[in-house]
Amino acid sequence: MAAPTTTPAHPAARAASKRRLSRRTAGGVGPIGLGVATLWLSLIVLAPLAAITIKSFENGLGGFVDAIDAPAARAALLVTLGVSLAVALINVVLGTLIAWVLVRDDFRGKSLVNALIDLPFALPTIVASIVLLSLYGPQSPFDIQLNATRPGLVVALLFVTLPFVVRSVQPVLIELDREVEQAAASLGASNLTIFRKIVLPTLAPAVLGGAGLAFTRAIGEYGSVVLIGGGIPKETEVASQYIQKQIEIDRFVNAAAVSVTLLLIAFVVLFTLRTLGGRAARREEHAG
Amino acid sequence: MRKQAISSAFAAAALAVGLAACGGASDSTSDAGDAAAADGGVKLGLVAYAVPKPGFDQLIPAFQKTDAGKGVTFSQSYGASGDQSRKVEAGLETDVVNFSVEPDVTRLVKAGLVDEDWNQDANKGLAFGSVVTIVVRKGNPKGIKDWDDLLKSGVEVVTPNPFSSGSAKWNLLAPYADKSNGGQDAKAGVAFIDQLVSDHVKVQPKSGREATETFLQGAGDALLTYENEALFIERQGEDVEHVTPPVTFKIENPVAVLSTSKHPEQAKAFKDYLYSPEGQELWAKAGFRPVDEAVLAKYKADFPDPEKLWTITDLGGWGEVDPALFDPDNGSIAKIYNAATS
Amino acid sequence: MILTRRTTLSLRVVALTYLGILVALPIVLIFFRTFEDGFGAFWDQITTPAAISALSLSLLIVAIVVPINVVFGIVTALALVRGRFRGRGVVQAIVDLPFAVSPIVVGASLILLWGSGGYFGFLESTGFKVIFALPGMILATIFVTLPFVVREVEPVLHEIGEEQEQAAATLGASRWQTFWRVTLPAIRWGLTYGVVLTVARSLGEFGAVIMVSAGISGESQTLTLLVHSRYIDDHNTFGAYSASTLLMVLALITLLAMTVLDQKRTKDV
């Protein structure tokens, strides 16, 4: 799935169309349409998230901190963050490598492999869980037992986050102007130098962006880890499993607090990476 | 293209609605029982705890063959007893409930969904039961025969989370009753549970059935569960055997009809069928201990008598035991679980 | 960078091995396990009354969620691209929000909002059930699929610009005519791609739906819930594999549609 970027229209064109603008906004939806869109987003997205945020602070800030400081909650969050970080790092390396092979290499069946990358997007998470469990669980044909272990969690999360870095890096690699590389090579730069100084900086924003998406997806993942993870508190229980358990025993404030924590972590990561990526991109532009 | 898309979407929706309306269907490949709801037929909802499905799989078709059960279809839901009870309390509509422990019915009485006199009949609202047993790997490699063996170094025990599962409560009451001599020495009982949970219980399955799954997937050396569940998985050919300690606990699983049921007549007829001689035989065949003494005697081979069988009445009834031991904030066993795992 | 043949080959081998073990091998194994007893056994498992009901419930949810997302998605995309208002960035961020939210958190927040103890809980007393009923499952699915149509239509709207629509307006077309005859055909491939993504995600949603569904076999189980319940509750591993294979086939069809549409929309613009 290509990640569409919303590039603003070129300033000159925008100004030109403003001048040509008739009193009726020809293709737009006007204030009613905007109102409908706002109401829609509020009802579907904002209202539930507001509810859970309000609930998490029902016992005040102290109650919130107590809820996420409870040993099992803390453990669940640490396991989740640790495993997700590992997955993001592995994806950075292997995702970039796979994108490289898909763009710069050519072999029979490449388009099939390329399409396969999107499979984790299209596959239901619970199916991923069962599929991995059949391979690495008690009925494993290779006698590899990964269920109820942290490596098992890592494998499941690698599966579902596979497309993020790859699809993020591919378009940038395709756009990469090879002339700069060739110029550097003709000046005597080694492959490693070229990669470090020319290719990598250009790819960096995309890699970071993809890694951020992968990390965010991993910390919230449930369906693909629910069967293979085993849910052992303090060992393989992830935050989403902890939240679900708390909801089921009517401990709503605990569930809400951990949920809001996950949301905050996701926002911080995405925001940081977007800023870093934006800065790196701007540096690139200025460097010419 | 757009018009085509819209009309085919509508067609798909209509078809889907039509199919989905034939609800409450069975998931077995062999029986065609519930596929079509007869016109004017009654659909009874059954919300049960995690493990009685093997029993109901036999009893429901048999009930449908009786006069009272003609044309009655069922929608069934199985899950952890506490979770199921909370769902019904939160508004899940149904007609008959069958939970693992009495407090899960009491919750519904308090919510006004079950009449207060639900267990005043001759059978006290109990249609069948079981005993607490220990399931071990085939050949019993760790030689587990009694509660004390569970505390042997390195033994890992699988038992569900008592906050969501009824099975978990029975599992813990058995060694508790043994060690505390029927509740007389509560301290000794709680001390044993403390050691068991803190040092030997790692996983926290949600329900009795999930605990079985976890054990079968390779976790743990001993699974505490209902005798009927042990029989069920043995009959399925799993590589396990069960050992019932000489002193164990009598499990009694309540059945109740909701006062808000839309089909009180059929619901009561179904409940009565569970007690009928025919029904009791089916329970026994499925591995559940019937309450009918005659039927129980017939199936002695499956249901050996333990040396001492404690009951909840011996401990003072659920009204006393549940708050004292399992109250989420103050219960002594609840506190142990909280300390060990939360 | 000119890489030696050896480097190229090693990179290729690493990539293909990783993908092979991570993605291809498990999929192949499930297909194998599902069909090793013949097609008949598989067919039996996916035609039980409960399975058929699960499939139709999943399709019903798709049939409701897709039109809603198409309508509101296009409105939102138009508002974001053509509208002139402050706070566009905020609205854009809200549209992207569902990508950052865990499905369990979606389910939890819906329960806290619409559940009987929730902030909108008074609705339950009127008899209109949201949680543990179809509306809850619909709301959960709409939440997770909300961004797709918007994000796929937005860039197309940017690309085509407003000239054609302006032209239509000056020629006297009403707003609706402009939309139907000018805008809609222009965005059709982006829209279709967004619809395909929505369908795939709706069919595959698990974490959010399992929390708000009553989970009653034959009534309120979607296909994904059926897979889970067969594996955990029924101890029916083969049945779980069969239902998974059915979902995998649907996923592969989606993948195919995505690939074809991707080519069409990059060609068409």
Side-chain angles (χ1 to χ4, degrees):
Chain A
M1 172 175 111
T5 50
T6 50
T7 48
H10 194 277
R14 214 177 19 198
S17 69
K18 258 198 187 141
R19 273 174 301 194
R20 265 180 281 148
L21 189 59
S22 60
R23 226 171 289 165
R24 266 188 316 181
T25 337
V29 289
I32 297 183
L34 180 61
V36 166
T38 316
L39 205 62
W40 168 246
L41 290 175
S42 306
L43 183 69
I44 295 291
V45 179
L46 290 181
L49 292 180
I52 202 167
T53 313
I54 295 175
K55 189 56 123 180
S56 68
F57 287 107
E58 201 175 63
N59 296 337
L61 186 60
F64 185 96
V65 175
D66 283 339
I68 58 176
D69 204 32
R74 213 177 341 128
L77 281 169
L78 286 176
V79 168
T80 309
L81 290 176
V83 167
S84 304
L85 192 62
V87 165
L89 289 174
I90 297 178
N91 266 317
V92 161
V93 174
L94 284 170
T96 312
L97 191 153
I98 293 174
W100 182 275
V101 170
L102 285 176
V103 174
R104 293 275 175 106
D105 198 351
D106 209 3
F107 51 89
R108 281 178 61 178
K110 187 171 91 157
S111 42
L112 184 66
V113 175
N114 190 33
L116 205 66
I117 302 286
D118 280 330
L119 185 66
F121 267 148
L123 200 67
T125 49
I126 185 70
V127 173
S129 204
I130 277 217
V131 152
L132 289 170
L133 197 58
S134 76
L135 193 57
Y136 302 115
Q139 296 178 346
S140 162
F142 305 121
D143 224 12
I144 307 176
Q145 294 279 343
L146 283 183
N147 69 310
T149 63
R150 282 194 208 163
L153 289 177
V154 171
V155 171
L157 291 174
L158 282 176
F159 185 96
V160 298
T161 55
L162 175 72
F164 289 108
V165 174
V166 177
R167 289 302 190 224
S168 207
V169 170
Q170 265 182 301
V172 180
L173 259 182
I174 292 175
E175 293 272 347
L176 204 55
D177 190 355
R178 315 232 11 206
E179 289 187 356
V180 186
E181 290 172 53
Q182 286 161 357
S186 68
L187 286 174
S190 72
N191 273 338
L192 195 57
T193 316
I194 299 177
F195 185 74
R196 263 196 326 124
K197 300 234 164 153
I198 297 175
V199 179
L200 205 52
T202 319
L203 292 184
V207 172
L208 282 179
L213 290 173
F215 180 81
T216 314
R217 174 68 194 265
I219 60 174
E221 184 55 30
Y222 176 75
S224 59
V225 300
V226 71
L227 292 182
I228 200 171
I232 303 176
K234 298 186 186 154
E235 272 193 35
T236 64
E237 187 180 50
V238 294
S240 55
Q241 286 174 308
Y242 178 81
I243 295 170
Q244 199 218 11
K245 279 196 190 158
Q246 294 299 303
I247 290 272
E248 281 185 344
I249 57 179
D250 286 351
R251 300 230 172 119
F252 293 130
V253 181
N254 290 358
V258 178
S259 303
V260 169
T261 310
L262 279 186
L263 287 173
L264 283 174
I265 295 175
F267 294 159
V268 167
V269 166
L270 288 175
F271 185 75
T272 314
L273 287 176
R274 193 174 289 197
T275 320
L276 281 178
R279 222 179 286 158
R282 270 192 300 262
R283 246 198 321 237
E284 270 299 300
E285 278 176 35
H286 291 163
Chain B
M1 175 223 146
R2 182 120 175 97
K3 290 210 178 87
Q4 261 184 344
I6 294 180
S7 42
S8 43
F10 272 126
L15 180 67
V17 170
L19 281 175
C22 314
S26 78
D27 196 22
S28 62
T29 52
S30 50
D31 87 58
D34 301 314
D39 274 319
V42 169
K43 184 149 79 87
L44 283 186
L46 167 69
V47 170
Y49 65 112
V51 304
K53 187 165 186 286
F56 283 113
D57 278 345
Q58 305 299 317
L59 271 123
I60 287 178
F63 173 69
Q64 289 170 325
K65 295 203 181 82
T66 70
D67 285 331
K70 263 206 180 37
V72 177
T73 54
F74 283 82
S75 84
Q76 310 159 50
S77 168
Y78 299 97
S81 186
D83 294 343
Q84 296 285 75
S85 168
R86 265 184 287 261
K87 273 193 177 155
V88 176
E89 187 194 20
L92 179 59
E93 284 185 7
T94 190
D95 303 289
V96 180
V97 293
N98 169 217
F99 294 133
S100 174
V101 295
E102 194 187 279
D104 289 329
V105 181
T106 316
R107 181 185 284 118
L108 299 185
V109 174
K110 287 206 191 110
L113 295 166
V114 170
D115 288 329
E116 273 188 17
D117 59 356
W118 69 276
N119 56 350
Q120 299 303 330
D121 61 355
N123 303 91
K124 302 224 184 72
L126 309 162
F128 56 89
S130 192
V131 298
V132 180
T133 190
I134 308 177
V135 177
V136 295
R137 309 281 169 201
K138 214 176 195 105
N140 200 349
K142 298 237 170 158
I144 297 173
K145 300 229 175 56
D146 200 352
W147 304 115
D148 286 322
D149 295 327
L150 295 177
L151 297 186
K152 282 203 290 216
S153 163
V155 170
E156 199 190 305
V157 178
V158 177
T159 174
N161 182 335
F163 294 124
S164 52
S165 163
S167 168
K169 292 185 178 174
W170 294 117
N171 290 345
L172 294 172
L173 282 176
Y176 173 82
D178 185 13
K179 296 297 161 187
S180 68
N181 199 17
Q184 283 167 9
D185 184 4
K187 256 207 171 139
V190 173
F192 182 88
I193 301 290
D194 196 345
Q195 229 192 325
L196 178 67
V197 172
S198 309
D199 298 331
H200 299 269
V201 173
K202 264 179 33 178
V203 271
Q204 292 266 296
K206 252 193 329 202
S207 72
R209 176 49 56 81
E210 262 194 45
T212 310
E213 267 318 305
T214 309
F215 183 74
L216 290 175
Q217 277 196 22
D221 308 295
L223 166 73
L224 304 183
T225 190
Y226 310 86
E227 183 188 50
N228 54 268
E229 180 76 347
L231 290 171
F232 173 61
I233 56 177
E234 280 166 11
R235 288 172 188 176
Q236 295 248 313
E238 300 287 349
D239 266 339
V240 296
E241 52 187 64
H242 71 282
V243 180
T244 307
V247 179
T248 185
F249 211 88
K250 184 169 186 212
I251 296 178
E252 299 162 318
N253 308 116
V255 182
V257 172
L258 289 191
S259 56
T260 54
S261 164
K262 297 207 170 72
H263 310 285
E265 224 182 270
Q266 288 86 351
K268 184 163 182 313
F270 180 64
K271 188 177 85 134
D272 291 337
Y273 183 74
L274 302 179
Y275 298 125
S276 69
E278 214 183 288
Q280 291 286 299
E281 276 249 14
L282 291 171
W283 283 119
K285 283 210 189 99
F288 297 76
R289 293 194 179 214
V291 292
D292 185 324
E293 296 286 346
V295 179
L296 183 60
K298 217 169 119 183
Y299 287 86
K300 260 290 167 257
D302 284 331
F303 306 127
D305 276 329
E307 273 174 38
K308 171 91 184 119
L309 195 62
W310 290 107
T311 71
I312 193 70
T313 326
D314 296 331
L315 294 181
W318 278 110
E320 272 204 30
V321 171
D322 202 39
L325 296 179
F326 295 113
D327 180 85
D329 299 311
N330 302 316
S332 29
I333 293 188
K335 279 200 212 147
I336 296 173
Y337 257 87
N338 279 330
T341 61
S342 84
Chain C
M1 284 169 65
I2 312 282
L3 298 175
T4 63
R5 180 117 185 100
R6 209 183 59 184
T7 319
T8 312
L9 273 175
S10 348
L11 287 179
R12 193 192 300 175
V13 164
V14 169
L16 291 180
T17 313
Y18 181 68
L19 289 174
I21 296 181
L22 188 66
V23 182
L25 188 59
I27 308 276
V28 165
L29 186 66
I30 284 277
F31 270 119
F32 182 71
R33 287 242 170 97
T34 306
F35 291 114
E36 65 181 339
D37 285 335
F39 189 78
F42 164 73
W43 186 254
D44 281 339
Q45 287 291 339
I46 61 169
T47 49
T48 71
I52 293 179
S53 157
L55 177 63
S56 47
L57 180 61
S58 292
L59 292 177
L60 175 66
I61 292 179
V62 167
I64 295 179
V65 165
V66 164
I68 293 179
N69 265 324
V70 164
V71 169
F72 286 100
I74 293 181
V75 169
T76 311
L78 281 172
L80 276 172
V81 177
R82 301 267 188 265
R84 283 121 179 78
F85 61 94
R86 293 171 57 174
R88 218 134 145 218
V90 174
V91 177
Q92 182 67 57
I94 297 177
V95 167
D96 285 339
L97 213 51
F99 283 150
V101 180
S102 163
I104 290 293
V105 174
V106 174
S109 44
L110 286 173
I111 290 178
L112 289 176
L113 184 65
W114 301 99
S116 57
Y119 298 112
F120 287 177
F122 52 83
L123 264 169
E124 292 254 335
S125 47
T126 66
F128 180 68
K129 290 180 163 309
V130 175
I131 302 296
F132 299 144
L134 188 62
M137 299 164 77
I138 302 278
L139 282 174
T141 313
I142 294 181
F143 187 111
V144 300
T145 53
L146 187 130
F148 290 122
V149 169
V150 180
R151 284 172 60 109
E152 296 303 325
V153 167
E154 264 187 283
V156 185
L157 283 177
H158 267 299
E159 289 269 1
I160 62 178
E162 284 186 89
E163 286 91 15
Q164 287 189 321
E165 293 159 10
Q166 300 278 3
T170 52
L171 286 175
S174 73
R175 212 186 280 194
W176 177 251
Q177 279 175 317
T178 312
F179 173 74
W180 191 257
R181 301 251 178 123
V182 178
T183 318
L184 200 53
I187 61 174
R188 72 179 187 278
W189 291 125
L191 180 64
T192 313
Y193 194 81
V195 167
V196 168
L197 293 177
T198 305
V199 170
R201 185 61 203 266
S202 306
L203 287 175
E205 183 47 43
F206 174 71
V209 168
I210 200 175
M211 293 196 77
V212 299
S213 160
I216 297 185
S217 164
E219 252 182 39
S220 41
Q221 271 184 346
T222 59
L223 263 181
T224 49
L225 294 185
L226 182 75
V227 170
H228 180 254
S229 130
R230 276 185 174 178
Y231 194 82
I232 296 279
D233 301 330
D234 299 348
H235 199 46
N236 179 5
T237 316
F238 181 69
Y241 287 166
S242 305
S244 300
T245 303
L246 179 61
L247 280 167
M248 265 202 299
V249 167
L250 292 173
L252 289 173
I253 295 177
T254 310
L255 208 57
L256 188 64
M258 274 165 67
T259 319
V260 167
L261 284 171
D262 205 17
Q263 291 172 351
K264 274 199 146 66
R265 69 185 181 145
T266 43
K267 249 192 334 192
D268 208 39
V269 177

